[in-house]
């Protein structure tokens, strides 16, 4: 699961910075997904250590009488632009100081390598599979790591256009195991009606309105 909306009035790419909590709308998103999952056979709930992920996982864990298992492998991807505004149409790519960080979009050169994200996210999936074998687990993470591990499992290239990620706020990307192998991947958006239109998967941001604040 991707976490819900974050309170971010300054519009910065918050990345792994502490102190970024769910907004009121984000908490409603988390509650909505918890309601949707209340009847599921969930025996394990894990989450990234960042506040927004922990707060999203809380109502799900509570609904099933579980504690949250914090897993560092679910954390947001590293990004050199953390703490800054950086988005489509905001002029960031016209600043010479940023050029050295965007020379290789295939790695990517501005942050944690995609391959490293695959390794840690697959490790988290494997651990959750073992913790919930025969049942279901819910892991709360962030947009980029979720999309990267899904792309790996579905045998797509890892470099991509960020605007085309199918990973809306509070969405569920589901990996089904048979034994120790992933046999299918699903996607659903239980809180879609709560997500602002410009933040939905596949939405085309207006100029200056596509900032990648964090995920």
């Amino acid at each position: 699961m991707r976490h819900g909306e974050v309170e971010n009035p300054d519009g910065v790419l918050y990345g792994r910075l502490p102190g970024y909590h769910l907004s009121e709308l984000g908490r409603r998103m988390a509650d909505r997904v918890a309601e949707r999952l209340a009847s599921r056979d969930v025996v394990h709930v894990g989450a990234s250590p960042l506040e927004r992920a922990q707060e999203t996982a809380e109502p799900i864990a509570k609904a099933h009488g579980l504690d949250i298992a914090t897993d560092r492998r679910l954390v947001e991807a590293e990004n050199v632009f953390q703490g800054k505004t950086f988005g489509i149409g905001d002029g960031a790519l016209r600043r010479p100081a940023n050029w050295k960080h965007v020379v290789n979009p295939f790695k990517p050169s501005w942050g944690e390598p995609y391959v490293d994200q695959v390794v840690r996210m697959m490790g988290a999936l494997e651990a959750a599979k073992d913790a919930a074998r025969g049942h279901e687990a819910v892991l709360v993470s962030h947009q980029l790591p979720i999309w990267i591990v899904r792309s790996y499992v579905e045998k797509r290239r890892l470099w991509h256009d960020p605007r085309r990620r199918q990973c809306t706020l509070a969405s569920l990307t589901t990996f089904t195991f048979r034994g120790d192998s992933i046999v299918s991947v699903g996607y659903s958006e239980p809180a879609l009606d709560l997500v602002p239109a410009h933040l939905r998967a596949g939405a085309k941001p207006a100029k200056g309105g596509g900032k990648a604040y964090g995920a």
Side-chain angles (χ1 to χ4, degrees):
M1 179 182 176
R2 183 184 173 192
H3 62 78
E5 185 192 58
V6 175
E7 189 69 33
N8 183 19
D10 296 325
V12 302
L13 195 159
Y14 37 79
R16 295 180 176 181
L17 293 174
Y20 283 89
H21 298 267
L22 292 183
S23 65
E24 181 58 36
L25 178 59
R27 292 182 182 278
R28 288 171 57 201
M29 292 177 182
D31 289 340
R32 170 71 64 79
V33 178
E35 291 170 6
R36 180 68 62 87
L37 297 176
S39 62
R40 305 293 300 193
D41 185 23
V42 175
V43 300
H44 177 80
V45 176
S48 155
L50 298 176
E51 292 99 326
R52 57 192 184 272
Q54 293 281 318
E55 291 164 359
T56 299
E58 185 176 359
I60 300 170
K62 184 177 179 180
H64 294 276
L66 300 169
D67 294 325
I68 299 170
T70 299
D71 190 335
R72 179 73 187 176
R73 291 171 294 191
L74 298 170
V75 75
E76 174 64 291
E78 268 188 308
N79 194 309
V80 298
F81 299 113
Q82 176 177 286
K84 303 176 182 178
T85 58
F86 189 92
I88 300 163
D90 71 353
L93 293 178
R94 293 195 295 271
R95 301 169 196 156
N98 290 336
W99 294 348
K100 63 183 178 182
H101 299 303
V102 294
V103 295
N104 185 356
F106 304 102
K107 187 179 178 180
S109 51
W110 55 81
E112 181 183 10
Y114 293 138
V115 171
D116 291 357
Q117 294 179 54
V118 168
V119 170
R120 63 177 172 86
M121 289 294 285
M122 286 300 298
L125 280 177
E126 291 288 338
K129 176 258 297 178
D130 291 338
R133 192 175 288 274
H135 305 276
E136 294 179 281
V138 178
L139 302 178
V140 182
S141 186
H142 308 268
Q143 186 190 61
L144 180 54
I146 294 171
W147 181 248
I148 289 300
V149 75
R150 177 180 171 183
S151 296
Y152 170 77
V153 170
E154 295 184 327
K155 296 180 168 51
R156 290 194 303 275
R157 67 190 185 198
L158 301 183
W159 65 273
H160 60 283
D161 182 341
R163 297 168 297 181
R164 298 189 180 277
R165 295 173 190 158
Q166 188 184 41
C167 192
T168 299
L169 290 165
S171 61
L172 295 170
T173 300
T174 305
F175 299 88
T176 301
F177 284 83
R178 181 174 296 143
D180 292 325
S181 300
I182 296 174
V183 295
S184 67
V185 179
Y187 178 77
S188 61
E189 299 173 333
L192 182 61
D193 61 302
L194 299 177
V195 179
H198 70 286
L199 295 178
R200 296 179 184 181
K204 295 182 179 180
K207 184 176 181 180
K211 292 182 174 60
Y213 297 155

